[in-house]
Amino acid sequence: MTPEISLVLLSYNNWHITKECIQSLLQSLDEDHIQRGIEIIIVDNGSVEETRQGLQELMIRPIQQGIELRVEFLQENLGYPIGINAGLAVCRGSFIGVLNNDLLFPKGWLTPLLQILQKDKSVGFAAPFLSYGVGLQNVNIRFKSLESMQDYATRFMNHNSERLLYVHKVTGACLLFRSDLLARIGGNDFWYGVGNYDDDDWCIRARIAGYKVVIVGQSFVHHIRHATFQTVPSLFSSSLEMNAVKFRIKWNIDSLDYETSIERTNEIIANTAFDKAKHYVPIRVDDYHAPVVRKPSPSLIHRSLLCADWTSPQSHWRRTLRSLSTMLNDPIELYAWIPESIFDVEQIINEIHQNLGGISKVSIHVLRNAVHYCDTLQLISTCDAVIQVDDDFVNRHIARLAEHIDTKVIAFR
């Protein structure tokens, strides 16, 4: 039967943590969930062999009837937002959950979230309290064992059984929603690259679309806290900083101080009309507007698209441009997609010119106005090629879309 509940779990290395997470998730499910049909979709975000082998072995083990476990193997790490979107793209359930791999689930955590989503159609995101979370969601407690975690969770959920907190955002580490929300606002914004602030953005878009965000007192989950990012702390700190700037520019928020951001977010919700062209982010290739069919240019001037996570210190877009300036044989028109709704465009344009060194073979066109998310395939299809950038999660997403429509992806190294 078609499952009623879909749970998407993103995995990237840390196999021992991912394995514990999956085991506790399976053990937390009760007969009601199983009777309704439940699918667990594990998206492996380009992990090393140990994790991939562990997931392959997990797939062939017998699972209780009524539970379907599937693994979507991505060839490379696409970052958190797009990794989650890859799982959402194959969900079949009416109720969908997004889960980190650094969670441990006590019995009883899932049913209260499903109940509020069934009871109140105005609720978009329903989230549990977490041992480590954001703002009011954060219980701030550690455990010595799984048994002590389960005991605490049972007491906490019983004590807070009537508690509902309507908030301006929740962390994306663990949340549930209905499929109608996904159809209305889509998934995570790919411009947040490796991750951080994508969940804040998702919550704002949900609220603009008329949905509420709620923390459910009768639900508690243990969150180990940034297990993946802890393996690369410099990546976490840099993505947190650069994505905070993107978020502030996109939503015109001067301060991310908790109280100030609540007030400003409420103003945004009150004064912004939902516009699917601006606020919907496709998760499937079929959700994009169809690519343009055009005749190849008869001239030697080729149109190439350069799209990058322009403020990421890990991205090699500068090195790519320097390589392009020395390796280029034929003239090209370079279209640099730098939306002013996300970036300080003038600063990036200056850096582009500096790294190209003023070579005459490159004609630069800057796409500074926002290209609507659904028009991304159309933009790609108007170019002869997409330029590949190493260590850049935004560029990986664009290159992946280009391959779907048979647009060349070229590398200059």
Side-chain angles (χ1 to χ4, degrees):
M1 65 179 180
T2 301
E4 188 178 355
I5 304 165
S6 299
L7 300 177
V8 176
L9 190 151
L10 189 64
S11 162
Y12 179 67
N13 296 331
N14 284 321
W15 171 236
H16 64 291
I17 290 177
T18 301
K19 184 179 179 180
E20 274 193 319
C21 174
I22 296 168
Q23 288 174 340
S24 74
L25 176 58
L26 291 170
Q27 291 167 3
S28 74
L29 301 176
D30 61 33
E31 192 60 33
D32 174 63
H33 308 138
I34 296 167
Q35 289 294 325
R36 296 166 72 168
I38 185 165
E39 62 177 359
I40 300 172
I41 302 163
I42 303 167
V43 180
D44 182 69
N45 217 352
S47 294
V48 296
E49 184 60 29
E50 179 193 16
T51 297
R52 296 174 75 85
Q53 183 176 341
L55 290 171
Q56 287 170 343
E57 292 174 357
L58 187 66
M59 289 171 62
I60 62 176
R61 294 177 186 172
I63 301 292
Q64 185 172 349
Q65 188 173 1
I67 302 175
E68 182 180 349
L69 191 147
R70 308 203 318 269
V71 181
E72 298 285 325
F73 288 103
L74 304 180
Q75 294 306 306
E76 59 182 344
N77 186 352
L78 297 179
Y80 184 87
I82 298 304
I84 289 295
N85 285 357
L88 296 177
V90 296
C91 285
R92 296 174 293 162
S94 301
F95 299 92
I96 302 170
V98 167
L99 314 172
N100 277 16
N101 69 331
D102 58 352
L103 301 172
L104 294 174
F105 301 91
K107 290 185 179 298
W109 74 277
L110 180 55
T111 296
L113 302 179
L114 293 169
Q115 287 175 339
I116 188 67
L117 290 171
Q118 288 177 294
K119 180 180 178 181
D120 188 349
K121 301 302 182 186
S122 71
V123 171
F125 290 126
F129 280 87
L130 298 171
S131 56
Y132 172 78
V134 173
L136 297 174
Q137 206 174 355
N138 182 26
V139 176
N140 193 25
I141 187 170
R142 297 174 181 267
F143 303 103
K144 294 182 179 180
S145 66
L146 286 176
E147 291 76 14
S148 62
M149 185 273 289
Q150 178 65 65
D151 289 343
Y152 176 86
T154 300
R155 294 194 305 273
F156 181 93
M157 292 187 289
N158 287 337
H159 181 72
N160 292 280
S161 60
E162 302 299 322
R163 191 180 182 193
L164 294 174
L165 298 181
Y166 292 90
V167 293
H168 74 304
K169 68 175 183 179
V170 288
T171 178
C174 182
L175 49 81
L176 256 72
F177 49 94
R178 294 182 308 277
S179 58
D180 62 273
L181 178 139
L182 192 61
R184 185 153 171 79
I185 70 169
N188 289 298
D189 186 341
F190 67 85
W191 285 109
Y192 291 100
V194 67
N196 277 319
Y197 283 93
D198 46 284
D199 43 7
D200 297 60
D201 186 276
W202 215 8
C203 286
I204 283 188
R205 286 160 43 221
R207 292 183 63 202
I208 289 173
Y211 292 99
K212 298 174 185 175
V213 178
V214 63
I215 306 170
V216 180
Q218 203 174 355
S219 180
F220 174 88
V221 172
H222 179 35
H223 186 201
I224 298 173
R225 181 182 180 181
H226 304 315
T228 298
F229 271 126
Q230 281 180 357
T231 62
V232 276
S234 61
L235 181 59
F236 174 74
S237 58
S238 65
S239 67
L240 191 65
E241 182 179 348
M242 69 183 181
N243 283 352
V245 175
K246 294 177 191 175
F247 181 78
R248 288 174 59 185
I249 293 174
K250 180 175 179 179
W251 297 107
N252 192 24
I253 295 177
D254 293 331
S255 171
L256 294 180
D257 170 76
Y258 191 76
E259 294 298 328
T260 305
S261 65
I262 291 176
E263 182 179 348
R264 176 60 186 137
T265 301
N266 288 338
E267 288 179 9
I268 292 168
I269 307 308
N271 297 302
T272 305
F274 179 77
D275 182 347
K276 192 166 184 176
K278 295 179 180 178
H279 302 132
Y280 174 79
V281 180
I283 57 173
R284 304 174 186 89
V285 173
D286 291 345
D287 295 335
Y288 291 90
H289 294 147
V292 174
V293 178
R294 68 183 187 90
K295 295 180 180 179
S297 172
S299 72
L300 291 176
I301 298 177
H302 301 291
R303 296 163 60 99
S304 295
L305 177 66
L306 179 59
C307 179
D309 196 350
W310 300 102
T311 53
S312 168
Q314 284 77 32
S315 172
H316 289 169
W317 67 263
R318 298 169 184 84
R319 188 179 72 181
T320 298
L321 288 176
R322 291 193 294 270
S323 298
L324 185 152
S325 65
T326 59
M327 298 173 62
L328 199 61
N329 294 320
D330 299 322
I332 67 168
E333 292 182 354
L334 181 65
Y335 287 80
W337 186 10
I338 317 170
E340 60 188 3
S341 59
I342 302 288
F343 299 103
D344 181 342
V345 179
E346 298 304 324
Q347 178 182 342
I348 297 167
I349 291 174
N350 289 336
E351 287 195 65
I352 288 175
H353 285 289
Q354 290 171 11
N355 284 279
L356 276 175
I359 61 171
S360 59
K361 288 184 178 180
V362 179
S363 175
I364 302 173
H365 307 269
V366 177
L367 305 173
R368 64 170 66 228
N369 295 324
V371 175
H372 294 151
Y373 296 98
C374 285
D375 294 333
T376 304
L377 274 189
Q378 290 188 342
L379 171 61
I380 295 171
S381 66
T382 62
C383 297
D384 301 305
V386 166
I387 295 177
Q388 185 177 11
V389 177
D390 291 337
D391 295 333
D392 189 302
F393 294 94
V394 170
N395 183 266
R396 285 178 191 175
H397 171 61
I398 299 302
R400 193 162 172 253
L401 289 178
E403 290 169 349
H404 274 293
I405 58 172
D406 295 324
T407 295
K408 292 180 182 177
V409 177
I410 54 177
F412 292 93
R413 293 187 176 93

